[in-house]
């Protein structure tokens, strides 16, 4: 094994994208330093903030919560409020919620759980309903991907949770890969108007809860490594519905480019960050303050996306 490029001790990790080898303490220090840098660059955490933290039981949100808990004592009055969403996907969600609970217990933080089935429908039921409608001849129902339902309902429920917990902002465990993929997908779909919605520090206008992404500089492949070194429990299994997604395709493409041209993903992320402010005026864009006529949550139209999808499924 090679030696650590920072301290010379035996290395434990080889980082392909910048051809460096690191020992365990140097790797963990670098992982945490990236979160601190993102916090600084995008002014994410402020004194006295109440921060709802989306925790899924997966590698990214587990690593994020652990680093935020380490940073918290230095930010006076900062409170972390972990939230987990149970989408109602049998076989997949229960073990991951157990991991989220274990981590919160070890950090001495209470975990709030919000269920799709209490507010919408369980994902398994949503997919069964969609498939039945699809099979029915002449059905007007749109052929939507499972990730569309899951993503929109999860987003709506996290917003609701943050609101009910009286949080100032919501931290999401999206990593550098996630943001690079989203950027690529937006380019391929010409969704320029949505650039703001996946920025590292977004929202806070029109009644939406501001969202922060403390892992924006952390490559996805490093989260499981960090969790293993820090004994953070996480559930690795893939969502059984994820193969239906456009994101899966973007991820495969970016991974194969990265393999041949190391550093490409970081470059794409940086391109997004430097273009974002130019295209939309960054986060300064004033939003319309509209409320959904059905559920009362903030919405960009008369009806929020969650209520619209629910109506479509029930209709
Ligand atoms: Zn070292
Ligand atoms: Zn609504």
């Amino acid at each position: 094994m090679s030696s650590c490029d920072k301290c010379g001790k035996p290395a434990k990790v080889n980082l392909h994208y910048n051809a460096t080898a690191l020992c365990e303490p140097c790797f963990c220090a670098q992982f945490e330093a990236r979160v601190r840098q993102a916090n600084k660059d995008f002014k994410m955490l402020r004194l006295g903030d109440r921060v709802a933290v989306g925790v899924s039981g997966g590698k990214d949100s587990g690593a994020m919560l652990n680093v935020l808990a380490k940073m918290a004592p230095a930010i006076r009055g900062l409170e972390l409020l972990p939230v987990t969403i149970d989408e109602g996907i049998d076989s997949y969600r229960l073990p991951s919620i157990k991991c989220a609970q274990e981590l919160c217990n070890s950090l001495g933080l209470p975990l709030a759980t919000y269920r799709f089935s209490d507010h919408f429908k369980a994902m398994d039921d949503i997919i069964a309903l969609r498939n039945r409608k699809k099979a029915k001849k002449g059905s007007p129902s749109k052929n939507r991907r499972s990730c569309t339902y899951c993503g929109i309902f999860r987003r709506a429920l996290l917003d609701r949770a943050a609101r009910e917990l009286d949080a100032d902002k919501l931290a999401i465990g999206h990593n550098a890969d996630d943001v690079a993929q989203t950027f690529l997908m937006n380019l391929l779909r010409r969704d320029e108007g949505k650039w703001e919605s996946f920025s590292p520090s977004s929202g806070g206008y029109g009644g939406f809860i501001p969202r922060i992404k403390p892992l924006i500089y952390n490559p996805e492949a490093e989260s499981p490594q960090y969790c293993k070194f820090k004994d953070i429990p996480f559930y690795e299994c893939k969502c059984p519905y994820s193969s239906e997604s456009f994101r899966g395709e973007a991820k495969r493409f970016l991974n194969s480019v990265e393999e041949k041209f190391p550093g490409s993903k970081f470059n794409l992320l940086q391109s997004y960050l430097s273009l974002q402010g130019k295209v939309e005026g960054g986060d300064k864009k004033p939003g319309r303050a509209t409320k959904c006529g059905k559920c009362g949550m903030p919405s960009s139209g008369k009806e929020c996306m969650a209520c619209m999808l629910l109506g479509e499924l029930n209709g």
Side-chain angles (χ1 to χ4, degrees):
M1 191 70 180
S2 52
S3 54
C4 174
D5 287 321
K6 289 205 171 150
C7 73
K9 290 189 182 135
K12 285 233 176 117
V13 192
N14 281 302
L15 306 177
H16 180 62
Y17 57 89
N18 61 0
T20 52
L22 295 175
C23 69
E24 181 178 325
C26 289
F27 170 83
C28 290
Q30 175 176 282
F31 189 93
E32 292 166 8
R34 285 195 169 130
V35 179
R36 290 195 170 87
Q37 189 63 48
N39 177 43
K40 200 171 150 216
D41 289 352
F42 302 102
K43 301 180 180 66
M44 292 178 180
L45 304 169
R46 293 175 198 266
L47 302 178
D49 264 351
R50 286 173 64 81
V51 183
V53 185
V55 185
S56 67
K59 57 189 171 42
D60 298 304
S61 56
M64 170 177 71
L65 183 62
N66 195 68
V67 183
L68 292 182
K70 280 184 107 169
M71 290 164 66
I75 306 169
R76 196 159 30 90
L78 185 85
E79 266 192 82
L80 298 175
L81 312 158
V83 180
T84 198
I85 303 293
D86 181 351
E87 298 94 347
I89 303 173
D90 258 3
S91 76
Y92 163 73
R93 219 49 187 96
L94 287 179
S96 55
I97 289 176
K98 204 169 150 245
C99 289
Q101 187 64 63
E102 264 176 50
L103 174 61
C104 290
N105 290 349
S106 75
L107 295 171
L109 297 167
L111 176 66
T113 304
Y114 278 71
R115 292 179 182 81
F116 270 26
S117 57
D118 292 338
H119 297 268
F120 315 110
K121 287 175 192 298
M123 262 312 276
D124 286 338
D125 296 335
I126 290 172
I127 297 309
L129 200 59
R130 179 203 65 179
N131 291 346
R132 265 208 306 278
K133 281 184 171 266
K134 220 160 53 174
K136 233 202 252 162
K137 242 188 158 182
S139 162
S141 170
K142 300 216 174 62
N143 184 14
R144 296 191 189 277
R145 291 166 194 274
S146 53
C147 293
T148 302
Y149 297 104
C150 198
I152 285 169
F153 289 142
R154 189 171 45 225
R155 196 182 170 95
L157 211 43
L158 278 170
D159 265 342
R160 179 174 288 273
R163 195 165 293 268
E164 289 180 1
L165 292 167
D166 199 19
D168 301 295
K169 52 194 71 167
L170 170 65
I172 299 289
H174 289 174
N175 56 46
D177 290 48
D178 291 325
V179 178
Q181 286 157 20
T182 309
F183 179 48
L184 178 65
M185 289 157 64
N186 274 256
L187 291 176
L188 294 173
R189 294 196 290 222
R190 288 216 64 192
D191 269 349
E192 299 101 323
K194 291 187 184 159
W195 282 19
E196 206 277 335
S197 68
F198 60 97
S199 83
S201 188
S202 69
Y205 56 80
F208 287 101
I209 191 110
R211 290 182 163 230
I212 55 172
K213 292 175 182 158
L215 295 187
I216 181 118
Y217 292 148
N218 296 70
E220 179 167 285
E222 294 184 13
S223 295
Q225 191 66 67
Y226 179 81
C227 288
K228 279 173 194 156
F229 285 150
K230 294 289 179 188
D231 283 326
I232 297 166
F234 67 99
Y235 188 61
E236 271 183 285
C237 188
K238 259 174 71 175
C239 169
Y241 298 125
S242 70
S243 62
E244 288 187 21
S245 76
F246 186 23
R247 179 173 296 279
E249 204 56 49
K251 183 174 183 161
R252 277 188 290 278
F253 170 74
L254 281 179
N255 284 346
S256 86
V257 174
E258 177 73 25
E259 188 63 35
K260 288 172 204 144
F261 306 98
S264 296
K265 275 194 263 190
F266 259 140
N267 288 339
L268 185 60
L269 174 71
Q270 289 302 339
S271 299
Y272 162 63
L273 292 175
S274 54
L275 281 172
Q276 197 222 350
K278 291 172 193 156
V279 172
E280 277 206 306
D283 288 344
K284 285 156 206 85
K285 194 183 167 203
R288 288 168 295 164
T290 311
K291 273 189 178 174
C292 169
K294 283 199 174 146
C295 70
M297 293 295 283
S299 168
S300 46
K302 277 186 190 157
E303 190 181 31
C304 75
M305 287 293 285
C307 286
M308 191 271 287
L309 284 183
L310 208 56
E312 205 178 272
L313 283 166
N314 288 330

